[in-house]
Amino acid sequence: MLIKSRRLRGLLNSLGSVAVTLFGLLLVTFVISRMLPADPVLAIVGDHATDEYVERVREQLGLNEPILVQFWIYFTNVIQGDLGQSIRTSQPIAQELMNVFPATLELATLGTIIGIIFGIPLGVLAAVRKDTLIDHVVRFVGLVGYSVPIFWLGLMGLLVFYAKLDWLPGPGRLDFGYEDMVTPVTGLMTVDTLISGDMDLFKNALGHLILPASLLGYFSLAYISRMTRSLMLGQLSQEYILTARVKGVSETRIIWKHAMGNVLVPLITVIALSYGNLLEGSVLTETVFAWRGLGLYITDSIFGQDMPAVMGGTIVVGAVFIVINMLTDVAYRLLDPRAQ
Amino acid sequence: MNMLLKAGVAGLALVMASGFTAEAKTPKDTLVMAWVFDDIISLDPAEIYEFSSSEYMANTYDRLVVQDLDNPGAIKLQAAESWSASDDGKVITFKIRPGIKFASGNEMTAEDAEFSIERYVLLDKSPAFIMNQFGLKKETVKDMVRVKDASTLEVELDAPYAPSFFLNCLSFTSAVVDKKEVMSHEVNGDLGYDWLRTNYAGSGPFVLKGWKPNESLVMEANDAYWGGAPKIKRVLAKNVTESATQQLLLQKGDVDMARNLTNDQLTAIASDKNITVAATPKATLWYMGLNTTNPNLAKPEVRQAMKYLVDYDGLANTSFKSIGIKHQTFLPEGQLGADNETPFSLNVEKAKELLAKAGVPDGFNITMDTTNKTETRLLSASIQNTMAKAGINIIIKLADNKTTLTKYRASQHDIYIGQWGSDYQDPHSNAEGYLMAPLAKRNVWQLPENEKAVLAARDEKDNTKRAAMYMELQKQALETSPYIIMFQQIETAAILNNVKGFVIGPTFDLNLYANVTKE
């Protein structure tokens, strides 16, 4: 009984802090959006608006209310699930976000999986073979992934694998001719094409995913392998490793069982951070690959002075980070008994 | 990032030059375009005012009259079968062409045309000002636009205007919508606005199939079109913002047409035998606006000196080679009375003389608001360089387009550099813009004598006399105005050779798909 109520309190606490975090995020974004130098009304009304019309639009948008009142109106709408209408497209923002988010989710998830599959073993390898050629190669690969803009790599990738070798399809989430043949169900193109039962379409969607996802995967690999290497090095110099070696435990077991067990928990944070970054920051990849996702949506909205849309996108990014944090917490608890 | 982008594009060009053939991979009956159309904010003709949405309108709606492609500046009948003006010039009568059917199956009548024109005024969105010029205001429009019989529409104007002026304006704002269909979606007296901004109620050669903002626009051929069904079944436009990506898609045959290639890219594909570039000068000018509230820019000699400090020819042969032609007057080539003389060229000595005469022999420091568009950046860098030769040191303030534009609209600039397109294909559009408002207002140069002359030219009913009046206005503006006009924009489309019949017209709306065929 006691445990139950304590758990409940814990849950309420964390939900409470999520609410406070989201509220704070909303408030800060709102204030910043109102402090921008460009006047959103002048951006909307066009070149021929009379002063009278400008005033009317200002009134319609509620922009002549005190900023706190404006925020309150916005906040109460958001609570009811209404993120408002996009200024540039006149569509409900919540709906637009539901269209673009799955595209980014699909890309970032596959990217992170690629990053994990290759990044962790490479990091471990580099740590174990510290200062050898292998270590240098892994570190160089990481450095390139870290310092060369993903945008440029994207263009080069298209150039080689799409334009020159013809191994992979080009930009977009499907060949353009196929675009309207898929009814969106989940918004994840690979899943939706599977649901449609057309294997050619599925292959097409998967093909389009490979290049951008690999690029993001490379970006994430660079980060994960570097962090794995340094976390692993930290563990390998610990006394318990030495003890195990003296006891004659096999090297493989020492690395994958003993050291990895301790590396895994901090590594979860690394992976979560990397995933969050891909979800929010794949703007340039999305631009190069004409991939209509969250990053591109927010950037376009910023350039279009579409503040309601920017705010909506910000809320989603904030919510994503909160969800990832919560999942990381759960993973911690599962992996590290002490955390319980 | 710009350098890297350039390196990327150069890399692309290199590999492309080494050659791979484009085999069309798009469906035979579909025209697939890579195009930046993120400016579309509405599909309602009474709100449409942006470049891309205007093109959508031109392909999906019938207007009473449109610009004649074969004869720039002249008017062609579309939904109207004929027009006539009363003797006093104050009443224009249209006969609606018989047999026009909307997508709903309803037949077009004069009532639809009446409703459509009233909607422009009553909804009072961006293009409404075009109709307001003729006294068609919210309070009066219902009385001034009248149905005489099922096929006859009468529009009364508040004063006798040059008929060419009224018809040129109407060629943009006379899209006829299906009254029954639109009104069946009316909510709270909004005249169907909420519905039509994302839906379709027209009778044009193509009908709307789907619009995903910033993503795709799909149109299907209207087989029942009165002017004959289009030859292509579907038009699919994809919003591809990165021009290097557009080039790649085109050269691989994944799209039939790339609409937004840069000058470098157009040069790079020039040798590709599979691609043709269609190009037409548009009624859009590249110019600088000089705010006369700045004490230096207030001096006419300084403004004139600055006109001698732009390397027009150098730019025309490099960055603007495929995308602009040298042009220095405020009426673009192709409009009634346009003066194509280009008296200014880079002349540092002459500029220095003028600056000395103005009392600033050593020049001065000044800011320029520049957008992050490639062409604007290239222009501003070149101008910064040539102006410095006479001591005018330009501090470039780079920002995104909307930020720069809102600053300009609020007259908070010294020098603004950007584009201005005519709102409708009549000289009054630019004469008013540059000499009365909004540009004259933003640059604080509203002179009573200009206003008088502009209105007189607008109302002159003899077209030859009218053209001469505009010539005169342009000559004066060349010398004294706070505008340094540099180029007229050329719109380009790079097209695979198996696609024929795409038309790029002189106005920003008239890019037409109806005659496109694919082999």
Side-chain angles (χ1 to χ4, degrees):
Chain A
M1 195 59 209
L2 188 71
I3 294 174
K4 259 193 182 168
S5 74
R6 195 186 292 164
R7 269 196 185 164
L8 191 66
R9 207 185 307 150
L11 185 70
L12 285 177
N13 269 341
S14 56
L15 279 181
S17 64
V18 166
V20 171
T21 315
L22 267 180
F23 182 81
L25 180 75
L26 266 184
L27 186 63
V28 170
T29 334
F30 189 84
V31 170
I32 291 176
S33 76
R34 287 294 183 274
M35 277 162 45
L36 286 178
D39 182 343
V41 178
L42 285 181
I44 299 164
V45 293
D47 275 331
H48 294 277
T50 55
D51 295 343
E52 181 198 10
Y53 182 62
V54 170
E55 265 324 295
R56 204 163 72 224
V57 173
R58 201 179 296 284
E59 207 167 297
Q60 274 166 10
L61 294 175
L63 288 171
N64 46 7
E65 302 279 354
I67 188 158
L68 277 177
V69 176
Q70 288 181 41
F71 178 71
W72 182 247
I73 295 169
Y74 181 72
F75 180 70
T76 45
N77 285 339
V78 168
I79 287 186
Q80 291 159 33
D82 177 8
L83 296 178
Q85 268 199 351
S86 159
I87 289 171
R88 291 176 314 141
T89 64
S90 15
Q91 311 273 320
I93 289 162
Q95 192 193 321
E96 287 197 328
L97 286 167
M98 279 197 307
N99 291 337
V100 294
F101 186 64
T104 299
L105 188 69
E106 197 173 28
L107 200 58
T109 307
L110 191 57
T112 304
I113 292 173
I114 294 172
I116 294 171
I117 291 177
F118 294 97
I120 295 180
L122 281 176
V124 171
L125 196 65
V128 174
R129 299 266 188 274
K130 185 171 181 277
D131 291 335
T132 65
L133 182 64
I134 293 180
D135 185 25
H136 293 317
V137 170
V138 171
R139 283 167 68 186
F140 178 72
V141 169
L143 187 73
V144 171
Y146 225 72
S147 43
V148 176
I150 204 161
F151 171 74
W152 189 79
L153 281 181
L155 270 180
M156 290 301 118
L158 275 177
L159 193 59
V160 174
F161 296 107
Y162 164 61
K164 197 70 188 159
L165 298 173
D166 226 346
W167 289 355
L168 292 170
R173 296 176 75 195
L174 270 182
D175 282 1
F176 287 170
Y178 290 152
E179 281 278 332
D180 299 296
M181 291 167 67
V182 188
T183 5
V185 183
T186 61
L188 305 169
M189 198 56 92
T190 43
V191 178
D192 288 350
T193 45
L194 264 187
I195 293 173
S196 79
D198 186 331
M199 284 320 278
D200 282 342
L201 276 183
F202 171 69
K203 279 187 208 152
N204 196 282
L206 197 63
H208 277 272
L209 195 55
I210 290 174
L211 199 51
S214 306
L215 268 168
L216 288 183
Y218 181 38
F219 191 60
S220 146
L221 169 161
Y223 180 54
I224 291 175
S225 69
R226 206 175 63 145
M227 295 309 285
T228 308
R229 179 180 177 277
S230 78
L231 288 169
M232 202 58 166
L233 281 177
Q235 289 299 322
L236 289 180
S237 62
Q238 300 279 322
E239 252 174 46
Y240 74 93
I241 298 286
L242 211 65
T243 319
R245 280 200 181 122
V246 173
K247 278 188 182 164
V249 180
S250 79
E251 196 65 16
T252 323
R253 199 176 156 77
I254 287 176
I255 293 162
W256 293 110
K257 186 84 187 167
H258 295 207
M260 201 58 192
N262 286 323
V263 166
L264 214 49
V265 176
L267 204 52
I268 295 284
T269 315
V270 169
I271 291 168
L273 269 177
S274 159
Y275 188 46
N277 284 336
L278 290 197
L279 277 172
E280 165 216 28
S282 49
V283 180
L284 295 178
T285 315
E286 289 180 0
T287 310
V288 172
F289 288 92
W291 196 278
R292 185 100 200 113
L294 185 64
L296 197 53
Y297 179 78
I298 297 179
T299 328
D300 282 355
S301 306
I302 292 173
F303 284 138
Q305 306 274 305
D306 191 347
M307 280 310 143
V310 176
M311 300 277 297
T314 312
I315 294 171
V316 171
V317 171
V320 160
F321 270 98
I322 289 169
V323 169
I324 291 177
N325 269 334
M326 284 166 71
L327 290 178
T328 315
D329 266 359
V330 172
Y332 261 59
R333 276 162 219 261
L334 289 177
L335 287 168
D336 187 351
R338 280 170 306 179
Q340 290 180 354
Chain B
M1 202 172 92
N2 192 32
M3 282 306 289
L4 278 163
L5 173 66
K6 283 206 165 147
V9 173
L12 281 179
L14 206 68
V15 176
M16 300 279 184
S18 72
F20 51 81
T21 45
E23 43 168 322
K25 296 178 197 160
T26 56
K28 264 227 126 37
D29 58 356
T30 306
L31 171 70
V32 183
M33 298 192 284
W35 182 28
V36 180
F37 51 85
D38 53 11
D39 57 341
I40 301 182
I41 56 168
S42 171
L43 300 182
D44 186 334
E47 186 172 31
I48 282 175
Y49 196 52
E50 277 64 36
F51 290 103
S52 308
S53 41
S54 302
E55 178 173 323
Y56 157 81
M57 177 169 75
N59 284 283
T60 53
Y61 281 90
D62 279 320
R63 287 174 273 190
L64 288 177
V65 291
V66 292
Q67 290 292 321
D68 188 350
L69 282 174
D70 305 321
N71 188 6
I75 284 293
K76 199 174 102 177
L77 297 161
Q78 199 172 41
E81 190 184 35
S82 66
W83 68 271
S84 58
S86 63
D87 290 340
D88 64 358
K90 282 177 72 174
V91 178
I92 313 284
T93 307
F94 296 96
K95 280 270 177 202
I96 304 297
R97 190 183 295 277
I100 300 183
K101 283 229 159 79
F102 289 109
S104 64
N106 298 331
E107 188 148 339
M108 185 188 290
T109 65
E111 208 182 318
D112 295 301
E114 177 200 35
F115 172 70
S116 305
I117 290 180
E118 285 173 3
R119 264 183 110 245
Y120 275 99
V121 177
L122 295 173
L123 288 177
D124 200 14
K125 302 293 174 190
S126 304
F129 84 95
I130 298 177
M131 305 308 269
N132 296 158
Q133 301 179 106
F134 304 98
L136 299 165
K137 301 277 163 74
K138 273 186 177 177
E139 311 75 48
T140 55
V141 69
K142 290 222 167 200
D143 296 329
M144 294 172 76
V145 182
R146 301 178 289 255
V147 168
K148 289 313 260 185
D149 60 56
S151 66
T152 313
L153 178 80
E154 228 177 58
V155 184
E156 189 189 326
L157 313 177
D158 64 348
Y161 297 93
S164 62
F165 172 47
F166 177 64
L167 292 173
N168 276 331
C169 287
L170 217 56
S171 74
F172 187 75
T173 52
S174 61
V176 184
V177 301
D178 183 342
K179 182 179 179 184
K180 276 197 204 110
E181 175 81 8
V182 172
M183 286 308 276
S184 72
H185 298 279
E186 188 184 41
V187 185
N188 300 330
D190 73 346
L191 299 175
Y193 165 68
D194 229 23
W195 177 78
L196 196 55
R197 66 196 309 201
T198 55
N199 283 285
Y200 173 72
S203 61
F206 289 89
V207 301
L208 174 73
K209 271 324 243 192
W211 173 48
K212 292 186 198 151
N214 298 331
E215 193 177 340
S216 65
L217 180 65
V218 188
M219 287 161 270
E220 228 166 52
N222 172 8
D223 289 330
Y225 188 58
W226 62 269
K231 298 180 186 80
I232 200 103
K233 286 279 158 243
R234 263 166 104 229
V235 175
L236 170 62
K238 284 290 294 177
N239 191 44
V240 179
T241 43
E242 180 49 55
S243 60
T245 308
Q246 284 199 7
Q247 184 190 351
L248 205 51
L249 284 164
L250 178 71
Q251 293 203 276
K252 285 295 282 181
D254 279 331
V255 296
D256 300 311
M257 190 185 298
R259 300 282 302 272
N260 308 90
L261 299 189
T262 61
N263 181 57
D264 286 353
Q265 290 167 333
L266 291 167
T267 313
I269 59 165
S271 57
D272 192 322
K273 289 187 196 69
N274 297 307
I275 297 171
T276 318
V277 176
T280 309
K282 287 277 170 178
T284 299
L285 303 172
W286 284 95
Y287 77 106
M288 277 185 267
L290 313 177
N291 189 342
T292 61
T293 54
N294 178 299
N296 285 318
L297 300 180
K299 299 172 183 163
E301 294 92 352
V302 169
R303 298 201 294 261
Q304 206 166 32
M306 290 170 79
K307 293 177 188 183
Y308 285 105
L309 288 171
V310 176
D311 186 8
Y312 307 89
D313 294 307
L315 282 161
N317 290 323
T318 55
S319 338
F320 275 72
K321 196 170 176 201
S322 321
I323 54 172
I325 44 174
K326 192 162 107 175
H327 192 89
Q328 295 178 344
T329 58
F330 67 74
L331 286 186
E333 190 184 332
Q335 283 187 4
L336 178 75
D339 181 353
N340 294 325
E341 70 168 321
T342 53
F344 298 108
S345 56
L346 181 62
N347 187 341
V348 180
E349 284 318 306
K350 175 127 194 180
K352 280 182 176 164
E353 274 170 34
L354 285 159
L355 286 177
K357 224 165 123 189
V360 279
D362 301 324
F364 47 86
N365 293 342
I366 199 150
T367 64
M368 179 196 269
D369 284 289
T370 303
T371 68
N372 47 18
K373 216 175 169 173
T374 313
E375 292 88 355
T376 331
R377 282 202 315 256
L378 291 170
L379 261 184
S380 58
S382 162
I383 290 163
Q384 186 185 39
N385 179 28
T386 46
M387 294 255 178
K389 289 180 179 164
I392 301 178
N393 297 309
I394 294 179
I395 299 137
I396 291 179
K397 292 192 163 178
L398 188 72
D400 70 90
N401 190 34
K402 280 275 161 98
T403 308
T404 306
L405 201 53
T406 50
K407 220 178 138 184
Y408 184 43
R409 285 177 183 164
S411 295
Q412 290 161 349
H413 65 294
D414 283 337
I415 304 174
Y416 169 85
I417 184 162
Q419 288 162 290
W420 177 261
S422 298
D423 297 308
Y424 43 87
Q425 196 68 347
D426 186 275
H428 180 64
S429 178
N430 273 15
E432 184 191 33
Y434 283 96
L435 302 179
M436 285 168 63
L439 302 188
K441 190 176 165 201
R442 288 178 204 168
N443 294 296
V444 196
W445 191 65
Q446 287 172 299
L447 310 176
E449 62 268 30
N450 278 350
E451 181 170 340
K452 225 172 120 192
V454 168
L455 295 180
R458 179 194 69 182
D459 298 338
E460 175 54 56
K461 285 195 213 55
D462 180 334
N463 263 2
T464 320
K465 273 192 205 152
R466 202 174 167 223
M469 290 164 96
Y470 285 115
M471 281 277 187
E472 184 53 36
L473 279 172
Q474 288 166 91
K475 285 205 193 322
Q476 283 170 16
L478 262 176
E479 297 303 319
T480 56
S481 74
Y483 311 110
I484 306 177
I485 296 166
M486 298 169 287
F487 297 100
Q488 181 167 355
Q489 189 190 337
I490 298 177
E491 174 153 1
T492 61
I495 308 168
L496 292 185
N497 280 345
N498 65 323
V499 178
K500 308 261 190 266
F502 179 70
V503 173
I504 303 184
T507 53
F508 59 84
D509 54 333
L510 290 181
N511 301 324
L512 304 176
Y513 325 135
N515 289 324
V516 168
T517 56
K518 273 174 91 172
E519 282 158 16

